[in-house]
Amino acid sequence: MIYAYASLTLTNPDSLAAYREKAADALNKYGGKVEAATNAARGIDGTPQIPDVVALLSFPDADSAMGWINDPALAEIHALRRSAGGSDIVLLG
């Protein structure tokens, strides 16, 4: 199992809503799922920049995560997320 940290700074909530309608199926295609997500993250040490939305994703392995992000069939879905505002995803491993 490998995890990915996703952080979003929203400028277009409608795009995020459209993305959420399709995101689960896109993740499932590669064995991924949302382990946790919140719009109420809090910094507990240091001075982190807190995004509007944070999610912890899981995948069976790094190849699955890379397949998900690089799948041309999912490009429109990823574009929805990116058009919602700032979107950063970090693979943890």
Side-chain angles (χ1 to χ4, degrees), residues 5 7 41-52 54:
Y5 168 82
S7 64
R42 297 181 290 163
I44 61 171
D45 191 32
T47 54
Q49 291 192 16
I50 306 299
D52 296 317
V54 176

Side-chain angles (χ1 to χ4, degrees), residues 30-90:
Y30 287 91
K33 70 178 193 173
V34 176
E35 295 291 340
T38 185
N39 61 354
R42 297 181 290 163
I44 61 171
D45 191 32
T47 54
Q49 291 192 16
I50 306 299
D52 296 317
V53 178
V54 176
L56 182 64
L57 310 175
S58 66
F59 293 92
D61 50 44
D63 288 341
S64 297
M66 297 307 294
W68 167 75
I69 201 66
N70 292 316
D71 186 338
L74 301 179
E76 288 183 25
I77 295 171
H78 293 303
L80 279 172
R81 184 190 71 253
R82 292 177 185 125
S83 70
S87 174
D88 296 309
I89 300 175
V90 177

